[in-house]
Amino acid sequence: MATIVVKQIGSPIRRPKIQRDTLKGLGLNKMHRTRELEDTPSVRGMVESIPHLVTIVEEKA
């Protein structure tokens, strides 16, 4: 299964609740944390909805 490594680059402080909830859904909650997640359309959509808070560090096949 393909995976992506997502890193949090922005703070959720003073962001709308929906953006904070999206970060929690990705398993991120503190700055500079990384998570390795399955590369699915739903995860990609979550990452693309908050590009100012997270970045894709690596894509693994």
Side-chain angles (χ1 to χ4, degrees), residues 12-55:
I13 295 173
R14 296 181 60 193
R15 301 285 181 190
K17 184 173 183 339
I18 188 74
Q19 292 179 7
R20 293 193 310 264
D21 291 344
T22 302
L23 274 177
K24 288 179 187 174
L26 289 170
L28 299 168
N29 61 351
K30 293 188 178 177
M31 293 287 292
H32 310 295
R33 292 251 174 115
T34 60
R35 285 288 309 254
E36 186 170 340
L37 304 166
E38 289 186 17
D39 190 5
T40 62
S42 60
V43 170
R44 286 282 182 163
M46 292 170 78
V47 170
E48 290 173 11
S49 70
I50 52 172
H52 53 289
L53 298 178
V54 297
T55 185

